[in-house]
Amino acid sequence: PGLGPEQIQLALSCAMPRSLWVPNVPGPMTAAAKLHAAIADQQNKNNTQMTTTMPEQTAAATARAGKTITGRWVKVAAVNENLLLKHLGYTRMQRAVIERVSMPIDIRVTNTSVVVTAKGIRTFHTRYPLNGDTISYPRRDGRPGHCRAHVIECKNESIVLHLDWDEPFGGENIQTYRLQQDDDGSSEAAGLLVENKITLRRQTEADEVAETRTLTSYVKFRRGR
């Protein structure tokens, strides 16, 4: 759909494979189950963050100074991607094909922009200005219309983008890239979690919004080479 070039690659490559489905019976924890647990753990950390003293915050920031979101990332697990693809208009056959495809993304942060490259059969390369300017480009899925995007926030360990695209299946996405925190003291974070909070809107013939639906998906990546 009209998502950013990196996001359409996520939609086309990160639908939940059958091997990641969470079973209904006891057994070994799957990658998707681990991702669910990681998300819940991060939310708990966020809820308790306000109780952290200023010296502790400063020490934590210093310890994480060597961690950066820049680099190549490879998908390892996804939650709710299949449902999201369905609401974005992909058929069952298309979703089955998407489940079997995986493509890396490269992220680079400069003094003036966030640069995201998604490589596959086609390569999408997009530069998001850090000054908040909105960029516009044709939809990557071949549907008519354009996508508009701008940077909401860019920090050493997270990037937040806002994307908005035209009908058909028009909507917007608050897309957050966040390094996964680890407790092993390593100088480089090994995981990246991408949250897509997508609001789809259905319009009437009078071009009025008749219905909206918000869906959230998560994709976990590991560092690649």
Side-chain angles (χ1 to χ4, degrees):
L3 314 181
E6 73 291 341
Q7 174 56 21
I8 188 61
Q9 287 296 341
L10 294 181
L12 292 175
S13 65
C14 299
M16 191 188 304
R18 290 181 176 82
S19 61
L20 299 180
W21 288 357
V22 181
N24 293 322
V25 296
M29 181 175 287
T30 65
K34 293 178 182 178
L35 179 53
H36 275 294
I39 292 169
D41 182 64
Q42 185 64 49
Q43 290 173 340
N44 289 335
K45 289 181 180 180
N46 291 341
N47 291 337
T48 58
Q49 185 176 9
M50 295 303 296
T51 63
T52 305
T53 65
M54 186 60 68
E56 290 173 331
Q57 291 175 337
T58 303
T62 301
R64 296 195 300 266
K67 298 180 180 180
T68 174
I69 206 166
T70 293
R72 169 164 290 193
W73 300 94
V74 180
K75 186 265 294 183
V76 293
V79 173
N80 286 344
E81 278 296 292
N82 195 279
L83 176 64
L84 179 61
L85 289 170
K86 179 178 180 180
H87 285 284
L88 287 171
Y90 289 95
T91 66
R92 180 181 299 178
M93 181 177 295
Q94 289 171 327
R95 298 198 303 274
V97 172
I98 289 169
E99 290 177 355
R100 293 168 173 79
V101 179
S102 180
M103 300 177 186
I105 59 172
D106 291 289
I107 301 174
R108 182 165 57 92
V109 180
T110 71
N111 291 331
T112 59
S113 61
V114 176
V115 183
V116 182
T117 302
K119 297 181 179 180
I121 298 175
R122 298 176 61 190
T123 296
F124 295 122
H125 179 86
T126 303
R127 185 181 300 272
Y128 302 92
L130 290 179
N131 63 5
D133 285 353
T134 298
I135 62 172
S136 178
Y137 46 84
R139 291 177 58 152
R140 310 298 186 179
D141 60 353
R143 290 167 174 161
H146 282 70
C147 178
R148 295 156 296 278
H150 68 270
V151 176
I152 297 177
E153 179 181 272
C154 182
K155 297 181 179 179
N156 192 47
E157 298 182 18
S158 64
I159 299 171
V160 183
L161 304 176
H162 178 271
L163 305 102
D164 182 275
W165 59 96
D166 301 323
E167 293 290 322
F169 298 99
E172 64 177 342
N173 182 13
I174 302 299
Q175 185 179 70
T176 303
Y177 296 74
R178 183 179 296 109
L179 289 181
Q180 290 287 276
Q181 303 303 324
D182 45 42
D183 300 320
D184 59 4
S186 62
S187 61
E188 188 176 77
L192 175 70
L193 184 68
V194 179
E195 177 187 273
N196 297 291
K197 189 172 183 179
I198 295 181
T199 300
L200 298 174
R201 51 181 181 263
R202 180 180 301 172
Q203 295 183 319
T204 65
E205 294 181 358
D207 201 32
E208 297 178 353
V209 176
E211 177 184 352
T212 61
R213 179 189 297 268
T214 299
L215 301 168
T216 302
S217 71
Y218 300 90
V219 185
K220 185 174 182 179
F221 293 80
R222 61 169 174 78
R223 283 202 182 273
R225 295 181 179 180

